[in-house]
Amino acid sequence: MTRILFICHGNICRSPMAEFIMKHLVKQQHREDEFVIDSAAVSTEEIGNSIYPPAKRILNKYGIPFSDHRARQVRRSDYDQYDLLICMDQSNLRWLARLIPNGDPQQKVCLMMEFTGVYRDVADPWYTDNFEATYNDLTKAIKALLNTL
């Protein structure tokens, strides 16, 4: 079983979108028993809050089911509990590097768009309000990720 944790700044836009897009694609491929998929934030700003309404709208637009998600902050113990910790941007990578003692000895931490062969951040809809671009980035990267697993 592969345990995956998607990480973004607040855990109300990009990382829960990634979580539910991946869960949907995994279900379509009848691979639910192969994965544990969750998401978390690097900050404390949105802890306990639900998915941001525009993120819910884009998931609904594409028929991606989601549950009553509540933002939580990533913990040191997540490094031991997950096989992959996938960050949405380089700022998340830097924050996570401070949280994990001794760096990333098991090489579990990566940037989401790396799976597409491009080292860049996932489009951040918090600043652009372009949830479509974020959805497209995530879908492309998650499909590439699934092809590697």
Side-chain angles (χ1 to χ4, degrees):
M1 177 153 311
T2 303
R3 301 177 58 85
I4 298 171
L5 183 67
F6 293 109
I7 300 168
C8 72
H9 183 78
N11 193 218
I12 62 168
C13 294
R14 293 176 295 173
S15 62
M17 286 175 68
E19 173 187 345
F20 292 111
I21 291 167
M22 181 150 184
K23 285 178 176 178
H24 179 69
L25 293 174
V26 163
K27 185 173 183 172
Q28 285 183 326
Q29 295 178 9
H30 308 287
R31 297 175 64 188
E32 299 95 356
D33 59 339
E34 295 179 36
F35 300 97
V36 171
I37 305 161
D38 200 0
S39 62
V42 294
S43 79
T44 59
E45 296 168 28
E46 300 289 346
I47 301 305
N49 289 337
S50 184
I51 301 172
Y52 191 51
K56 289 179 182 180
R57 284 194 290 275
I58 199 77
L59 292 173
N60 280 327
K61 176 181 176 180
Y62 288 101
I64 308 294
F66 54 89
S67 62
D68 183 32
H69 167 86
R70 296 292 167 183
R72 75 165 182 92
Q73 189 175 30
V74 67
R75 301 175 293 265
R76 276 195 174 115
S77 60
D78 288 329
Y79 188 80
D80 295 324
Q81 293 176 1
Y82 290 91
D83 302 303
L84 285 171
L85 290 86
I86 303 174
C87 295
M88 298 298 130
D89 63 41
Q90 293 179 46
S91 171
N92 307 150
L93 286 173
R94 287 189 298 275
W95 192 94
L96 201 56
R98 290 190 298 264
L99 179 70
I100 300 169
N102 305 318
D104 180 16
Q106 297 177 39
Q107 298 183 342
K108 295 180 174 187
V109 179
C110 60
L111 194 62
M112 178 90 257
M113 295 307 291
E114 283 183 57
F115 295 101
T116 68
V118 179
Y119 191 85
R120 70 167 176 85
D121 296 347
V122 170
D124 191 344
W126 188 256
Y127 299 104
T128 66
D129 201 36
N130 188 345
F131 286 82
E132 193 78 37
T134 304
Y135 176 83
N136 290 337
D137 277 356
L138 291 172
T139 301
K140 182 177 181 182
I142 291 166
K143 285 180 178 178
L145 168 61
L146 280 170
N147 285 336
T148 68
L149 298 174

